[in-house]
Amino acid sequence: GLLTQASVHKITANGTTTSPIPRGNFVLANLLGTPAPPPPAAVDIPEPDTRGTTTIREQLDAHRNSPVCASCHRTIDPPGFAMESFDPIGGFRTRYRVVGADKARWETPYDQGPAVDATGVTPDGDAFSGLEDYKQLLLAQKLDQVARHLATSLVVYATGAEVEFADRDAVERIVDQGRPDGHPLRAMIHRVVESELFSSR
């Protein structure tokens, strides 16, 4: 349910438009624990076209033609594309909105723009048709990674200290113990508190 929360969609938009880049980065950093590196200083980051002449996907396609950009966007863009069906405040949409022309003062300033395309392909080559498909791929392929990042975050929160290389085995034990049951959160919290990482810091 996290990826459909309006709060997530709002903090990954700029208030009027959306972009797959911050939303994809949110998933990588906060769900999978694998944030993308910052873009090179000389690279212009595409911004959505509020006039509606191009979609953000079309702009990103041109952006990815640069080999410098392509390697990171291969990972960043799929989760961002999956979340494109949600507007800047988390409402579901099937079309983008664009600034309308020749509008009277009492009319809405926006028109219906191009259709939203929430399809994509993961770095592993798996195609998805929208957020529900993408979530199923995460559950099937990345559940341990999500659990590992969550366990690490809980340890950091509980101890006030970063997880070091020497702590990885203890985190893996927490993940291993939760795997048969699908990593329930309550049990994970108990295991973190019972771990030597919590009791020895």
Side-chain angles (χ1 to χ4, degrees):
L2 180 68
L3 295 184
T4 54
Q5 282 192 11
S7 58
V8 171
H9 299 300
K10 186 172 186 311
I11 64 168
T12 55
N14 70 5
T16 57
T17 57
T18 63
S19 170
I21 299 172
R23 287 182 169 177
N25 265 326
F26 178 89
V27 173
L28 295 180
N30 297 291
L31 208 59
L32 301 175
T34 56
V43 171
D44 290 327
I45 299 174
E47 290 292 333
D49 177 10
T50 58
R51 297 164 301 159
T53 56
T54 60
T55 65
I56 187 66
R57 183 182 287 265
E58 290 168 340
Q59 291 173 277
L60 282 173
D61 284 343
H63 184 66
R64 283 195 303 265
N65 286 337
S66 164
V68 175
C69 303
S71 59
C72 288
H73 280 278
R74 186 170 171 267
T75 306
I76 296 170
D77 293 349
F81 286 149
M83 297 167 77
E84 274 294 278
S85 290
F86 295 88
D87 68 18
I89 58 170
F92 187 81
R93 64 185 176 187
T94 57
R95 305 191 78 83
Y96 292 103
R97 67 180 190 179
V98 296
V99 176
D102 302 322
K103 293 285 188 177
R105 280 188 307 164
W106 60 85
E107 292 181 296
T108 176
Y110 299 105
D111 286 331
Q112 291 292 314
V116 171
D117 182 358
T119 63
V121 179
T122 69
D124 296 326
D126 296 305
F128 57 86
S129 61
L131 186 57
E132 289 305 314
D133 276 359
Y134 183 76
K135 288 196 298 184
Q136 292 306 313
L137 289 172
L138 280 181
L139 285 172
Q141 300 172 2
K142 303 290 185 183
L143 185 57
D144 274 4
Q145 188 171 344
V146 172
R148 188 173 296 107
H149 180 60
L150 179 57
T152 301
S153 299
L154 287 172
V155 168
V156 171
Y157 180 77
T159 64
E162 292 296 323
V163 172
E164 305 290 343
F165 182 81
D167 304 328
R168 288 185 177 181
D169 286 346
V171 172
E172 283 303 315
R173 281 194 291 275
I174 293 169
V175 174
D176 291 344
Q177 290 168 350
R179 187 175 295 116
D181 300 320
H183 304 291
L185 181 58
R186 182 188 297 260
M188 184 181 289
I189 292 172
H190 287 175
R191 291 186 183 108
V192 168
V193 173
E194 293 165 358
S195 72
E196 62 269 32
L197 293 176
F198 183 79
S199 60
S200 63
R201 293 185 179 182

